[in-house]
Amino acid sequence: MANVCPIPTDSYKVGFIGAGKMAESIARGVVKSGILPASRIRTAHSGSARRTAFESIGVTVFDNNTQVVEDSDVIIFSVKPQVVKNAVSQLKPILSEKKLLVSVSAGVKLKDLQEWAGQGRFIRVMPNTPSAVGEAATVITLGEKATTEDGELISQLFGAIGKVWKADEKLFDAVTGLSGSGPAYVFLAIEALADGGVAAGLPRELALGLASQTVLGAASMVSGMGKHPGQLKDDVASPGGTTIAGIHELEKSGFRGFLMNAVVAAAKRSKELSQN
């Protein structure tokens, strides 16, 4: 690692290859949190709508990706998995180890990213869709030439859009099954709770508001109070009360097993897709 040039933490610039919604969420979060000023963020796009979205934040928008790489220290590949190989390979001649490379493309392994780039200073990042509201669950793993300092820098960047964990890449399929696909399971649960409220006599708007706020509040209790969710469940389930009656129905229906099976199935599918 001795020959790896440290990224200048007080002046480094971030460039996005791909100017989609994920890149925009990260850029907005980083600027809003004060981690980086917009003047140190770059991307490229030819479409007026995407250019306007980034320019409205104060981000520099170039005409092509070569300009982004040449004027950035940290390069974040925020493109769809099916095009990331082409995006990295085209830029390979200018992707020196002086630059820290990052991929947020789902299912694309470090060994392939490093091969396409011709260098191993790469970090793979798995955020999820709540990044759009600054509440992402993000997991990162370091490539063969990425330093501990590189990992800390990327953790700080992605910490601007939520919480960050580090894990071995072999766990990323399971991460996909849980936090990657998990928001969809929660959306389904919120919809079902709201439907239950409507069935019990609530107006639709009130039912949906109560359902979404209840899930948000319960999640905040789990993450903020340091109690096991089972203990929190017991705290609200009074003997012979309404909550334990509802929990009984969920248990009879196999609620927990369904959720566990969903995570395992999504993780299995992630593994299948990454091998293709």
Side-chain angles (χ1 to χ4, degrees), residues 23-97:
E24 183 184 347
S25 294
I26 298 167
R28 287 187 182 279
V30 165
V31 172
K32 183 178 180 181
S33 67
I35 291 174
L36 277 186
S39 60
R40 284 162 54 188
I41 303 175
R42 285 94 178 81
T43 192
H45 205 279
S46 57
S48 60
R50 298 314 300 154
R51 290 184 71 96
T52 299
F54 280 87
E55 288 173 344
S56 69
I57 313 170
V59 171
T60 300
V61 183
F62 290 121
D63 293 325
N64 60 70
N65 288 333
T66 297
Q67 293 172 294
V68 175
V69 172
E70 290 176 342
D71 198 38
S72 302
D73 304 288
V74 178
I75 316 298
I76 300 177
F77 288 90
S78 182
V79 296
K80 295 186 182 300
Q82 59 267 32
V83 300
V84 67
K85 178 179 180 180
N86 187 52
V88 175
S89 299
Q90 285 186 343
L91 296 168
K92 180 178 179 179
I94 55 175
L95 297 178
S96 72
E97 285 190 359

Side-chain angles (χ1 to χ4, degrees), residues 86-135:
N86 187 52
V88 175
S89 299
Q90 285 186 343
L91 296 168
K92 180 178 179 179
I94 55 175
L95 297 178
S96 72
E97 285 190 359
K98 290 183 179 180
K99 299 183 184 294
L100 172 58
L101 310 182
V102 178
S103 170
V104 298
S105 297
V108 184
K109 294 182 177 179
L110 277 171
K111 66 178 181 62
D112 295 320
L113 293 165
Q114 292 171 163
E115 179 182 340
W116 301 332
Q119 64 117 314
R121 196 178 187 183
F122 231 121
I123 294 179
R124 182 180 170 189
V125 180
M126 180 73 188
N128 63 0
T129 53
S131 61
V133 292
E135 293 292 348

Side-chain angles (χ1 to χ4, degrees), residues 184-202:
Y185 315 152
V186 178
F187 298 149
L188 196 64
I190 292 171
E191 183 184 32
L193 286 169
D195 284 347
V198 172
L202 294 177

